[in-house]
Amino acid sequence: MSNLLSLSSVAKKIWMSLMGLFLFTFLLVHLSLNLTMITSPDSGLFNEAAHFMGTNPFIQVFQWVLFAGFIVHIILGLILQVQNWMARPNAYKKKASSEQSFFSKYMIHTAVVIFVFLIIHFLNFFLVAKGLIGEIGEVTIDGVTMEDMAGLVFDLFANPAYVVFYIIALLFLGFHLDHGIQSAFQSLGLNHPKYTPCIKNAGRLLAIVITLGYVLIPLVIYFTK
Amino acid sequence: MDLKLKIWRQSGPDAKGEFKEYPIQDISKDSSFLEMMDVLNEQLVSKGEEPVAFDHDCREGICGMCSLFINGRPHGPDDAITTCQLHMRKFHDGETVTIEPWRAKPFPIIKDLMVDRSAFDEIIQAGGFVSVSTGGVPDANAIPIKKVNADLAMDAAACIGCGACVAACKNASAMLFVSAKVSQFALLPQGRVEAKERVEKMVAKMDDIGFGNCTNTYACEAECPKEISVANIARMNREFFAAKVS
Ligand code: HEM
Ligand code: SF4
Ligand code: FES
């Protein structure tokens, strides 16, 4: 912790951007697996994938790496934000919007929504799947008995309140990523007269695709299952 | 034209400041913003009131002394311009013009609209120079320099140290200024010699003084009177990374 506190401003940004991009690649993998829930007929593929992720030793180790990635990103983000507030103790009475990246103004706000979402998401699925809280059914696929993860998800998204909450939270994730993806490249020093405009567009496109992809899941489940 | 000025008045560094309103009449559209301020101050002096303190020097857009946060923007409602180069035709008759000082912890207010920007000097003293042994004047083109690099270094060197980047940034970050100073040397062979220590020392000083962390809002680039590019910030981050790992 004190090591993180003593990092220079630039070092903090480099770590934040690396962890942010790492979390972003996780989001892609997570999304592609989750989509099997609504693409494969009886969600058997999803259950098998979830079973694989829940038992494979490499994934079990990697889970902790991912967890550490979140922690580093969050702690550095909080330190950075508090320092930034301290750097201007007296606010302007009148301030125009000079920012060229709209959601850059709201990174801490979108982050707080994502953080609350993460906790609820853990309580909904991860901790249940680990058998720590709640109950989860079982299914047998090709002679292997495993947790019915898909059933758990379907039960949750039968509740419209959860559907709405997930969609709102995912939109905020999209806002975070809209600024975040291109920002991470800039923080890493990857700025180029020709490629930077492409990175900005691709970042926005990816933020939209990821958000839409995730939003689709509770919607499709609510209306079709 | 007639205007309603809302100006931040603060009698000293520790005094509690407040906005005061000053109506002003018959200002020429063709006068500069600072000339308008001069007219106001003459009126205040003739009424026996304390004139408004504000910074200025060259009044030709090259020294970086003039400041002022006008209607929410550093250097007011025009792009790529200093306040001394801002003209009253950018305002309309009857407009309320709000004028505040730069606000950032490292830029304490001295009086009214005047702030102490010596934090920038401290950063320069930490490494914004090249050490040269004295001797004969070297030949102009003794060291070949690529045209692209010479141009980029010249662009970075255009920074006049005005502090608008800090003033505009929601984080009061000085990254655009520091990266311009780091870049102007990093791009040239004369500056490469001390490049590593320079970037480390200047970043450390910047953090130490209490400027905020850059979050890539790019507000600095939008408000810089010399159009310094945020590409310089990326270059500084690369330089910093290279210095730390080598
Ligand atoms: C899956 C989740 C997340 C992803 C993919 C993600 C990704 C990113 C990326 C790529 C950046 C830009 C970094 C840079 O410019 O160097 C960023 C910035 C930021 N993140 Fe996250 N983030 C996530 C969750 C969170 C959470 C949970 C928090 C805190 C509670 C958080 C706090 C922040 C803050 C405060 C910033 C702004 C810092 C800055 O712009 O420099 N993030 N995030
Ligand atoms: S980078 Fe631009 S805004 Fe910042 S001090 Fe230099 S000239 Fe002023
Ligand atoms: S007074 Fe010198 S730049 Fe404005």
Side-chain angles (χ1 to χ4, degrees):
Chain A
M1 181 76 196
S2 63
N3 283 343
L4 291 183
L5 262 175
S6 61
L7 279 184
S8 76
S9 58
V10 178
K12 268 203 295 286
K13 283 307 304 259
I14 291 175
W15 278 112
M16 274 208 82
S17 57
L18 289 174
M19 292 305 123
L21 289 180
F22 170 56
L23 298 180
F24 167 74
T25 52
F26 156 73
L27 285 181
L28 284 176
V29 176
H30 192 41
L31 174 64
S32 54
L33 289 181
N34 285 4
L35 281 175
T36 61
M37 227 180 321
I38 55 174
T39 51
S40 73
D42 55 357
S43 300
L45 191 57
F46 175 72
N47 270 335
E48 284 181 277
H51 183 67
F52 171 79
M53 299 301 266
T55 49
N56 181 289
F58 175 74
I59 303 288
Q60 292 309 296
V61 174
F62 191 76
Q63 197 168 279
W64 290 103
V65 178
L66 181 66
F67 194 62
F70 268 107
I71 298 292
V72 170
H73 185 79
I74 291 172
I75 292 182
L76 286 180
L78 291 177
I79 295 174
L80 171 137
Q81 185 60 62
V82 169
Q83 288 175 335
N84 288 356
W85 279 324
M86 290 188 339
R88 177 163 298 131
N90 300 312
Y92 290 108
K93 302 300 173 286
K94 182 164 180 183
K95 172 92 172 77
S97 252
S98 306
E99 292 81 8
Q100 297 185 63
S101 172
F102 181 79
F103 286 111
S104 68
K105 282 188 281 184
Y106 306 110
M107 289 305 271
I108 189 66
H109 312 91
T110 54
V112 168
V113 176
I114 301 172
F115 186 70
V116 171
F117 168 78
L118 278 177
I119 292 174
I120 293 175
H121 190 55
F122 255 63
L123 292 172
N124 287 156
F125 300 125
F126 186 80
L127 297 181
V128 181
K130 291 277 163 210
L132 296 171
I133 55 168
E135 279 170 29
I136 181 164
E138 283 186 344
V139 283
T140 308
I141 300 170
D142 296 338
V144 185
T145 306
M146 57 186 75
E147 291 90 9
D148 184 11
M149 270 310 281
L152 188 67
V153 180
F154 292 173
D155 285 349
L156 190 83
F157 291 143
N159 182 345
Y162 269 112
V163 175
V164 171
F165 171 71
Y166 266 70
I167 291 176
I168 292 176
L170 290 166
L171 285 178
F172 277 83
L173 175 65
F175 300 154
H176 197 77
L177 292 178
D178 176 64
H179 169 72
I181 298 173
Q182 55 82 28
S183 172
F185 281 82
Q186 166 78 1
S187 298
L188 292 172
L190 302 172
N191 180 305
H192 186 278
K194 203 155 79 208
Y195 303 120
T196 295
C198 304
I199 292 173
K200 286 187 178 170
N201 289 332
R204 172 154 295 168
L205 190 71
L206 278 170
I208 293 173
V209 167
I210 287 209
T211 311
L212 285 184
Y214 276 110
V215 161
L216 216 55
I217 297 168
L219 273 184
V220 168
I221 291 175
Y222 181 73
F223 286 109
T224 66
K225 306 281 164 166
Chain B
M1 61 198 297
D2 299 345
L3 296 165
K4 198 163 100 192
L5 303 174
K6 258 181 88 176
I7 301 181
W8 184 261
R9 300 303 307 261
Q10 182 171 331
S11 58
D14 302 317
K16 194 176 162 307
E18 58 174 358
F19 279 104
K20 282 231 172 82
E21 292 197 7
Y22 302 94
I24 189 163
Q25 282 86 32
D26 295 328
I27 293 295
S28 159
K29 276 203 336 251
D30 299 326
S31 64
S32 79
F33 196 85
L34 296 187
E35 284 164 345
M36 184 278 294
M37 294 295 289
D38 294 337
V39 171
L40 171 75
N41 275 346
E42 272 169 30
Q43 293 179 0
L44 290 179
V45 170
S46 67
K47 278 193 278 186
E49 286 179 41
E50 186 71 13
V52 180
F54 63 90
D55 271 318
H56 61 105
D57 189 10
C58 71
R59 295 208 178 192
E60 52 186 16
I62 54 169
C63 76
M65 265 322 274
C66 59
S67 51
L68 308 187
F69 206 75
I70 305 161
N71 280 350
R73 290 182 64 187
H75 296 137
D78 202 353
D79 295 328
I81 204 169
T82 54
T83 300
C84 57
Q85 299 299 294
L86 176 68
H87 283 84
M88 296 314 293
R89 53 180 162 272
K90 287 283 161 188
F91 299 86
H92 59 79
D93 192 37
E95 189 170 344
T96 301
V97 182
T98 307
I99 312 170
E100 296 179 64
W102 283 178
R103 294 190 192 274
K105 196 167 136 244
F107 287 168
I109 295 177
I110 300 168
K111 189 177 177 188
D112 297 337
L113 303 170
M114 226 177 206
V115 299
D116 181 356
R117 281 169 279 183
S118 35
F120 272 6
D121 301 334
E122 283 179 54
I123 296 175
I124 296 294
Q125 282 155 13
F129 49 80
V130 282
S131 312
V132 276
S133 311
T134 51
V137 180
D139 266 357
N141 288 319
I143 306 172
I145 298 169
K146 267 206 274 180
K147 171 87 170 116
V148 248
N149 284 3
D151 287 351
L152 288 171
M154 195 64 197
D155 288 348
C159 165
I160 52 177
C162 64
C165 42
V166 176
C169 176
K170 78 173 180 63
N171 312 316
S173 162
M175 288 284 275
L176 195 64
F177 165 77
V178 180
S179 69
K181 300 302 171 192
V182 164
S183 289
Q184 92 187 38
F185 294 117
L187 285 158
L188 301 177
Q190 294 89 335
R192 287 298 337 156
V193 183
E194 293 158 298
K196 190 176 157 204
E197 306 94 280
R198 176 180 306 112
V199 68
E200 289 186 324
K201 284 185 181 158
M202 289 180 80
V203 167
K205 193 66 184 175
M206 165 182 89
D207 292 347
D208 190 42
I209 292 173
F211 287 103
N213 305 275
C214 174
T215 65
N216 303 329
T217 71
Y218 313 134
C220 51
E221 183 187 71
E223 298 297 358
C224 172
K226 298 297 160 187
E227 302 185 288
I228 303 291
S229 160
V230 294
N232 289 298
I233 297 182
R235 182 179 297 106
M236 181 164 84
N237 289 2
R238 292 197 297 275
E239 289 284 327
F240 183 86
F241 184 75
K244 284 290 173 198
V245 296
S246 69

